[in-house]
Amino acid sequence: MISIRRAAAVAVTALAATAAAATPASAQAPDPVTDVRLIAFNDLHGNLEPPAGSSGRVTLPDGKTVDAGGAAYLATHVQRLRGEAPNSLVLSAGDNIGASPVISALFHDEPTVDFLNQLGVGASVVGNHEFDEGYRELRRMRFGGCHPEDGCQFRSSFGGAEFPFLGANVAFDNGFPALLPFTVKFSGGVPIGIIGVTLKDLPAVVTPEAIKGLKFGDEVAAIDRTADLLDRLGVRAQVVLMHQGDNTEGGGPDDCRLAPGPAAAIAARASSKVDAIFTGHSHQQYNCAINDPAGNPRPVIQGASFGRLLSVVDLRVDRRTRDVVRAETKAHNEIVTRDVAPDAGVTKLIDEAKTKAAPIANRPVGTITADLLKTGGPSGESALGDVIADAQLAATASNSAQVALTNPGGIRADLVHKSSPGGEGDGVVTYGEAFTVQPFGNIMQTITLTGANLKAVLEQQWQPNGTRILQVSSSLRYAYSAAAPIGSKVSNLAIAGKPVDPEGSYRVSVNNFLAAGGDGFTEFTKGTNLTGGPVDLDALLAYLGAHPNLAPPPADRITALP
């Protein structure tokens, strides 16, 4: 057996020989610097087809929008960007899979992994949705093999990802690393260290069962620890793929009007050895320069979601020091427009997935009279959120449910009135469209809360990392003042027209994610007398089937006060 030391020596000798063979003896000395282009995306969520509605548009600096996204178009844009810069790496900031449309999700996201392989992704950090089906399924996504229950349904075999999944702050309960902390890619003759960290609060946004046996550490500590290790290995050019992000106050793809949030705070504290930070998770578009602890600016960038933007960072690396010349770094977000020829190979893959999924995906399940949008109005209440909450209340009526509440993050797409390319007709909702809206397969649960508990739940909508307005059934009415102190924002709380009694008991239906305290709604864990219900998607399907020509409900359940 070759020792580790001897194997390393052989590898170094081979690299030196390769470099010597590539440089003729008469050639001039190489340029003192080399250019490396990093092309990244985040939160693809299996959107192989161009996403519909607002999920498929990018807002420009003037407030106008442009249609964007679609894997075949994304591949074409990546190919062009690579052609402009021969030394290029393609990276992902996480949530490639999970919460996916039906043509990927029906096959446990194997088509999306195949697409990422075709795209030539070099590395990806894990996002929270990579854990939707648990750690064992994440390993299958990486190393391949058929699904343990459903087998190989997309193709006869599944080879897994041809790139590493990174997570420097992900460990088993015993402290051993659960994922690779970094990878090193050579581009332009210099090593580029790629560090991956996911959000330390990941347990708050997935079900406990999915991450049993795992723990998630502080992002800054993991970055600093890994950056120091890479530096000791002689890897000076370093970038971070971080599945954590901030919200914005508007603007175009390269604006930097960030609301206070975790990503900017991490970027300001993380090791100065890191030269660029790609972010994700918040589905926002921004391109910022944030000073590192040494006072030197570095790009902190995010490309919206669903493949609508590509975040491009051009680095100039000093060959002698192997470090990035920070002053010459350039960054921008590139819109994945649909006015280019779609990539033929990716189109073939998508067509295959659509054909195999069609018998299920194209089945009509209901009709609507107008768009049902997931985006909330001034109060945060949305038409689609109202419909979903009403559906969940109806589906749990046998549990004596009086109210249903659902988390906005669980509503993944609009239901649009216009016919899809499948040709089902305007106003027809297909199974695939409904699945895209509610793809998680969460189970409905009805619990008993006191009136005081219910008010406390609603007060938890205002959190340090932002505001999450729960969508509520028509049986619930309340008002709030965002300007009021934390814990005292909600008023006029009523169920079925009667004021809520703080001492009274109420049956409240939520999905199992919320029931476990997900998204920071820990007050739900105080619920008692839990009774199970149907899967959330089944509740929506039943409601659509029972209410043909469904119209958007009036936005009168939540009132925003001064």
Side-chain angles (χ1 to χ4, degrees), residues 123-190:
S124 175
V125 67
V126 291
N128 50 294
H129 285 285
E130 267 82 11
F131 290 94
D132 280 353
E133 295 188 46
Y135 179 74
R136 289 185 62 185
E137 177 67 359
L138 173 60
R139 286 185 56 83
R140 190 182 76 86
M141 290 290 98
R142 172 64 182 93
F143 297 109
C146 294
H147 191 274
E149 296 177 4
D150 297 334
C152 282
Q153 295 185 339
F154 182 54
R155 290 174 176 164
S156 59
S157 63
F158 174 61
E162 297 172 0
F163 53 90
F165 290 167
L166 306 178
N169 60 334
V170 185
F172 296 113
D173 282 342
N174 61 11
F176 284 99
L179 296 167
L180 290 174
F182 69 88
T183 188
V184 177
K185 300 291 181 180
F186 281 80
S187 187
V190 295

Side-chain angles (χ1 to χ4, degrees), residues 226-386:
T226 311
D228 288 345
L229 175 59
L230 285 168
D231 188 66
R232 289 196 295 271
L233 294 172
V235 181
R236 310 282 187 250
Q238 302 181 15
V239 300
V240 165
L241 303 175
M242 179 170 70
H243 195 73
Q244 178 61 287
D246 291 338
N247 291 315
T248 70
E249 297 174 354
D254 286 322
D255 208 317
C256 185
R257 284 181 278 173
L258 296 181
I266 292 168
R269 294 167 49 219
S271 173
S272 298
K273 297 180 176 72
V274 171
D275 299 294
I277 300 176
F278 295 92
T279 71
H281 186 56
S282 57
H283 292 209
Q284 303 291 300
Q285 56 183 28
Y286 53 79
N287 176 18
C288 301
I290 296 177
N291 286 349
D292 65 20
N296 299 315
R298 57 187 170 193
V300 178
I301 191 168
Q302 185 175 151
S305 60
F306 307 150
R308 292 174 288 167
L309 291 176
L310 288 165
S311 297
V312 182
V313 174
D314 290 319
L315 304 176
R316 179 152 288 181
V317 185
D318 186 310
R319 289 184 184 274
R320 182 181 62 83
T321 65
R322 292 185 169 187
D323 208 349
V324 171
V325 183
R326 285 276 190 95
E328 299 191 45
T329 298
K330 298 178 181 178
H332 76 280
N333 275 319
E334 184 97 1
I335 300 175
V336 179
T337 60
R338 301 176 192 168
D339 57 358
V340 298
D343 181 88
V346 175
T347 298
K348 183 178 179 181
L349 169 67
I350 296 169
D351 287 345
E352 179 184 358
K354 287 170 60 179
T355 298
K356 292 178 177 179
I360 297 174
N362 294 339
R363 175 169 59 88
V365 295
T367 52
I368 56 178
T369 64
D371 291 347
L372 296 177
L373 303 181
K374 66 184 179 72
T375 303
S379 70
E381 180 182 349
S382 75
L384 187 52
D386 286 351

Side-chain angles (χ1 to χ4, degrees), residues 63-97:
K64 295 180 180 178
T65 62
V66 60
D67 290 343
Y73 300 109
L74 187 145
T76 297
H77 283 276
V78 166
Q79 184 177 17
R80 175 183 55 78
L81 289 166
R82 275 178 155 166
E84 296 170 357
N87 302 323
S88 296
L89 297 172
V90 180
L91 308 169
S92 170
D95 275 5
N96 296 311
I97 58 177

Side-chain angles (χ1 to χ4, degrees), residues 417-433:
H417 183 264
K418 184 178 179 181
S419 176
S420 76
E424 72 278 1
D426 291 349
V428 177
V429 179
T430 65
Y431 178 88
E433 290 169 331

